[in-house]
Amino acid sequence: MRSCNLPSGAAMPVLGLGTWRMGESARRRAEELEALKYGLDLGYPMIDTAEMYGDGEAEEIVGDALAGRTAKPYVVSKVYPHNATRSGTIAACERSLKRLRLPRIDLYLLHWRGGARIEETFEAFHRLRDAGKIADFGVSNFDLDDMQDAARIDKGLIGSNQVLYSLSRRGPEFDLLPWMRKRSIPLMAYSPLDQGGLLRKAALKKVADEVGCTPAQLALAWLLAQPGVITIPKSSTRERVKENFGALDVKLAPEILRELDRAFPPPNGKQPLEML
C-alpha cells in the first residue's frame, strides 16, 4: 500500500475505510461491522471515523472491528467544533479513545471550523500529542484562508486536511491543493464517489469500460493518481468494500486522464469550498 508522508514524518496510507453515517441504525449495525471487518481482512490499512458519526456509535463499531486484532490499522477520528475548546478537545479525545478501545489515535482532526478559538484547539492538540494520546493532528473542511490561519499556530505539524473532493467536485485543485502540496500536507478526499452521484454519470461509465474497471474503481483510481491525495470511501457491504479495494490495481494512462479532464473539467477559478 502506498503512503503519503505527513509533515511530522509519519506515513499515512492512501486508501482507507470511511464510516460516515455508520452507527445511525441499530438494524444496520451488524452489516456495517461485518463490512469493516471484511475490509480489514482484505488489507485496508486505515479507518476514518468521528465522534459525530452516529453520535459516537461509529467509533464503537470501529472498536468492535478492531477487537482481537494484533495488527491495528491507521485510525483517524475527529472532534466536533462545539467540543473544540482547550479542555473540551482533550475530553472529547478521551471519550473517542474509550469508544475505539485504543491507547492512541493516529490522526485527530478538527471536524470543521466553528465557534471555538483555533488557538485553543491547537493547544489541546499539542498537549494530546505530547501525552501520546494522538500521533498527529489536522483539520477538516478548511479552505485556503482557514489553512493559512492554522499554519500560523500549528508549529509546522498540521498532518492533513480532509475535504470534499472528487471528479465531480474539483474546486480544491485551484488553490487549496497546490498550497498543501507545497507544504507536504496530504489532502484526504471524503465522499470520493459524490455520495453515489458520480456512478450515474454516463461519461464515467464510458471511460471505465475503456479501462476495464467499474465506475467506482475509476473514480477512486483517479484520486489515487493525484499526488498528495488520500481517499476514504465508505461502504456498508462486503461487495462494495471489495470493489473499492480493486481501485488500487487500476492504472490510468495519460490519455485516460486527459479524457477524464474533458468529461470533468478542472476549475478555472477560485470556488468556495464545498461541504456535505
Side-chain angles (χ1 to χ4, degrees), residues 19-24 48-60 62 75-85 87-100 105 107-112 121 125 162:
T19 62
W20 185 33
R21 291 185 171 165
M22 284 191 179
E24 295 179 357
D48 173 86
T49 190
E51 67 170 341
M52 184 187 83
Y53 302 163
D55 197 22
E57 186 60 28
E59 289 180 326
E60 293 276 4
V62 172
V75 174
V76 182
S77 194
K78 309 176 196 73
V79 58
Y80 258 130
H82 63 252
N83 286 336
T85 61
S87 61
T89 300
I90 292 172
C93 183
E94 295 283 4
R95 291 192 296 270
S96 289
L97 287 168
K98 184 176 180 180
R99 288 188 289 263
L100 292 163
I105 293 168
L107 180 64
Y108 195 45
L109 308 178
L110 172 59
H111 210 146
W112 64 90
T121 308
F125 282 163
Q162 186 177 127

Side-chain angles (χ1 to χ4, degrees), residues 113-174:
R113 194 167 185 177
R117 294 177 64 247
I118 194 170
E119 290 83 0
E120 288 196 26
T121 308
F122 275 51
E123 182 181 333
F125 282 163
H126 288 299
R127 288 186 182 182
L128 287 166
R129 191 170 186 267
D130 291 343
K133 300 296 179 71
I134 64 175
D136 284 288
F137 62 83
V139 295
S140 181
N141 297 300
F142 270 40
D143 207 344
L144 179 58
D145 56 344
D146 297 312
M147 289 297 290
Q148 290 169 332
D149 286 348
R152 287 192 278 270
I153 55 172
D154 75 335
K155 301 179 183 178
L157 288 173
I158 288 180
S160 186
N161 181 19
Q162 186 177 127
V163 300
L164 181 62
Y165 180 46
S166 66
L167 266 172
S168 52
R169 297 180 187 260
R170 297 181 64 172
E173 289 179 28
F174 184 75

Side-chain angles (χ1 to χ4, degrees), residues 20 163-166 169 189-195 231-232 276:
W20 185 33
V163 300
L164 181 62
Y165 180 46
S166 66
R169 297 180 187 260
Y190 74 78
S191 292
L193 306 180
D194 206 356
Q195 296 187 294
T231 191
I232 44 168
L276 291 178

